[in-house]
Amino acid sequence: PACLAAQHLIAATACQEADYGWMIRHFCLRQFQLSMEGIGQRLWCDWDETVGTYGELTNCTVLIAERLDCYWPNRLVDEFFVAVHKQYFRNCSPSGRALHDPPNGVLCPFIVLPVLVTLLMTALVVWRSKRSEGIV
Amino acid sequence: LFLSIQRIVPSLSSTVNYTGPTLEPVVTENSVIRQKIIDSQFKCYERMNRAPPYNKKGLFCNRTWDGWLCWDDTPAGRLTAQNCPDYFPDFDPTERASKYCDETGNWFRHPESNRTWSNYTLCNSFTSEKLKMAFILYYMAIVGHALSITSLLISLAIFFYFKSLSCQRITLHKNLFFSYVLNSMFTIAHLIAVVPNPGLVKRDPVSCKVLQFFHQYMLGCNYFWMLCEGIYLHTLIVVAVFAEEQRLHWYYLLGWGFPLVPASIHAVARARYFNDNCWMSVDTHLLYIVHGPVMAALLVNFFFLLNIVRVLVTKLRDTHRAESNMYMKAVRATLILVPLLGIQFVIIPWRPENRLAGEIYDYIMHILMHYQGLLVATIFCFFNGEV
């Protein structure tokens, strides 16, 4: 009996995963849903519009983790955010806001064109200097 | 090229404190850092959503976001690693952060706190030494360019003062030296005004992008004037065989006018597709818009010079011996310089992994890159038989 009581005590102070899952869905997700509806579905993929709300959602999960003495992030946070992304950001481009190179179809012409023009220009100069000699 | 300096020199602000010795992510107050982390988090969950499920046999650890970096599905018993993030000033993005998936298919938990833990200790453990070395390289670069400017200005003075030296080849040398001087000046301006000044970079005024544009333009001019020298020698020796007077308009066009083309295309592409602050980032392939033509010019130059050497050796061995000697000397100087100047574009991708070898490599690369002007002045003017 004493052992069982001690076990329950330990379990009570440790992170209750079920509680955590419930709380982030009921508190954080509600707030997020309201904000996103306020922004409007058309703009869900506009990162500049949604970054604030997304940040608040993250913050909220962190605070509740602290309250319940869970560490952050954890498996439930992963599942939670994957579900949020499936629902709200499914059709968005995955690249986010960070800078990245244009796709290869655009990049290659940008690089190949100056190289070709360089070679052409060089050939032109060689040809012209040859010709000016031919006069003599 | 400031690949190593820009990679290593972090902004000169103070370091961020971590909670305790175990380096765990905590929500930080600094909003710029938070922005980067939130952005990475978003991209991570997007990737987790879109990537196909794990399809190999056996136990594995699930893909996860650990608060700083994204980790893919990893087979059990494997240590996986990726580059450290660049959120914090003292995190070195060239170091590796690692995460261990144990045999039971769970991520490694730190023994002290029993929470899932990734190893970020390598990210900031060597930073102070690297910072010191980055400063040494930085000052070396500035000194190198200053020395180059001085020696080149002296050479130009010598060429202008002694009218007897003047001929078409010397005219090309004068233009080459002048482009080196301008290049060094822009490089020093960039190193002194922009690189140590994170406030300026954050404000991102148009002037620093204009500076970058001129910097790329001058880099092009440098190498295209070397090409002009090569074309001139080639025309002189191979094509027209020692006749003196050519018209130099086309050389001026190629040397000063043409580099505007790659520089402008780079500016347009950068503004449209990769418009980072002050265009400082070297992590983009758009830089090849300028470096591609430069490499093409170096290759063409190299083949011209090989051709010249071939002609001199075969056709002029017996006849015209005195002239061929003089031209051989001229060609030898140019031939030494072309691979020397071009080597950095070939070798830079292969920095050695070993720490000591890597440092030696960095020093040598910086000497080759930043003392070029000094080298050119020395070979073409100070050691020139005619001078």
Side-chain angles (χ1 to χ4, degrees), chain B residues 280-352:
Chain B
M280 266 183 72
S281 169
V282 294
D283 280 330
T284 169
H285 286 114
L286 289 176
L287 278 176
Y288 283 114
I289 295 179
V290 172
H291 293 169
V294 166
M295 285 194 264
L298 282 169
L299 269 175
V300 166
N301 215 10
F302 193 59
F303 284 121
F304 275 165
L305 289 175
L306 285 181
N307 203 20
I308 291 172
V309 171
R310 179 185 65 88
V311 164
L312 284 174
V313 168
T314 58
K315 291 189 183 173
L316 300 175
R317 199 176 330 189
D318 297 310
T319 63
H320 304 282
R321 186 166 290 154
E323 285 132 329
S324 80
N325 247 341
M326 188 172 76
Y327 282 102
M328 269 298 268
K329 287 208 179 82
V331 164
R332 189 178 51 200
T334 318
L335 201 60
I336 292 174
L337 280 176
V338 167
L340 209 63
L341 295 173
I343 258 179
Q344 76 220 44
F345 287 104
V346 176
I347 289 190
I348 270 191
W350 292 299
R351 188 174 186 276

Side-chain angles (χ1 to χ4, degrees), chain A residues 44 47 50-52 54-56 58-59 62 66 70-75 77-79 81-87 89-103 106-107 110-111 113-115 117-119 121-122 124-126 128-133 135-136, chain B residues 25 27 34-35 38-39 41-43 45-50 62-67 109 113-116 224 227 231 234-235 239-240 243-247 250-251 253-254 258 261-262 265 268-269 273-277 283-286 288-289 292-294 296-297 300 304:
Chain A
W44 281 356
W47 183 231
T50 54
V51 61
Y54 192 82
E56 277 167 23
T58 310
N59 269 349
V62 171
E66 269 175 43
C70 299
Y71 59 81
W72 190 94
N74 55 57
R75 193 180 50 87
V77 170
D78 279 346
E79 288 168 7
F81 273 101
V82 166
V84 165
H85 273 251
K86 271 207 178 74
Q87 190 183 350
F89 303 115
R90 191 169 8 158
N91 298 324
C92 301
S93 79
S95 54
R97 204 164 146 240
L99 292 167
H100 60 287
D101 281 341
V106 173
L107 188 64
F110 260 119
I111 294 179
L113 186 67
V115 174
V117 176
T118 305
L119 294 173
M121 213 26 212
T122 311
L124 182 70
V125 174
V126 172
R128 289 301 301 188
S129 44
K130 218 160 72 159
R131 268 198 71 194
S132 68
E133 280 316 300
I135 299 173
V136 179
Chain B
V27 175
R34 269 211 73 225
Q35 267 302 91
I38 291 275
D39 192 74
Q41 177 183 325
F42 184 86
K43 274 159 56 182
Y45 285 117
E46 276 299 293
R47 226 173 90 184
M48 278 165 66
N49 240 342
R50 281 156 211 271
N62 279 315
R63 53 192 77 166
T64 182
W65 165 251
D66 70 355
R109 286 169 181 267
S113 59
N114 201 28
R115 59 182 281 181
T116 322
F224 277 95
L227 179 63
I231 295 178
H234 186 260
T235 310
V239 175
E244 253 301 305
E245 287 303 304
Q246 297 178 36
R247 269 188 304 182
W250 291 99
Y251 293 106
L253 186 66
L254 185 63
F258 180 71
V261 172
I265 297 182
V268 164
Y273 292 108
F274 203 101
N275 199 7
D276 60 322
N277 287 9
D283 280 330
T284 169
H285 286 114
L286 289 176
Y288 283 114
I289 295 179
V294 166
V300 166
F304 275 165

Side-chain angles (χ1 to χ4, degrees), chain B residues 77-258:
Chain B
R78 167 106 60 103
L79 180 75
T80 173
Q82 55 176 299
N83 284 330
C84 294
D86 63 347
Y87 309 136
F88 307 107
D90 54 348
F91 265 30
D92 179 6
T94 63
E95 287 286 355
R96 307 278 279 175
S98 58
K99 200 169 173 69
Y100 181 63
C101 178
D102 65 21
E103 286 78 7
T104 64
N106 294 312
W107 290 110
F108 170 75
R109 286 169 181 267
H110 196 275
E112 270 177 43
S113 59
N114 201 28
R115 59 182 281 181
T116 322
W117 185 80
S118 320
N119 188 354
Y120 287 97
T121 51
L122 285 181
C123 297
N124 68 345
S125 40
F126 303 116
T127 313
S128 49
E129 287 115 36
K130 287 195 184 165
L131 196 57
K132 234 189 292 175
M133 203 186 103
F135 271 114
I136 294 178
L137 290 175
Y138 171 79
Y139 288 121
M140 250 176 74
I142 293 186
V143 165
H145 280 285
L147 276 178
S148 295
I149 291 183
T150 325
S151 58
L152 286 165
L153 286 175
I154 296 177
S155 312
L156 276 172
I158 293 178
F159 283 145
F160 274 111
Y161 186 66
F162 292 105
K163 297 290 181 201
S164 57
L165 287 174
S166 146
C167 62
Q168 282 196 327
R169 197 156 167 263
I170 300 292
T171 309
L172 290 183
H173 284 351
K174 287 184 207 163
N175 278 287
L176 177 71
F177 288 11
F178 195 48
S179 84
Y180 265 106
V181 168
L182 287 176
N183 188 24
S184 290
M185 277 169 42
F186 275 104
T187 308
I188 291 188
H190 185 253
L191 281 178
I192 292 185
V194 179
V195 170
N197 197 348
L200 179 75
V201 176
K202 199 162 145 199
R203 268 185 297 120
D204 190 24
V206 177
S207 54
C208 77
K209 290 186 179 159
V210 169
L211 184 67
Q212 264 292 13
F213 168 74
F214 279 112
H215 194 211
Q216 299 293 340
Y217 168 64
M218 287 278 98
L219 185 79
C221 282
N222 241 358
Y223 289 95
F224 277 95
W225 270 110
M226 279 305 293
L227 179 63
C228 287
E229 296 253 359
I231 295 178
Y232 179 80
L233 274 177
H234 186 260
T235 310
L236 201 61
I237 294 174
V238 176
V239 175
V241 196
F242 304 130
E244 253 301 305
E245 287 303 304
Q246 297 178 36
R247 269 188 304 182
L248 294 181
H249 317 305
W250 291 99
Y251 293 106
Y252 283 110
L253 186 66
L254 185 63
W256 292 118
F258 180 71

Side-chain angles (χ1 to χ4, degrees), chain A residues 16-33:
Chain A
Q16 295 281 38
E17 294 210 329
D19 287 345
Y20 184 68
W22 185 88
M23 284 184 83
I24 55 177
R25 272 173 189 77
H26 275 78
F27 296 123
C28 305
L29 191 58
R30 286 276 164 78
Q31 188 62 32
F32 183 71
Q33 276 169 343

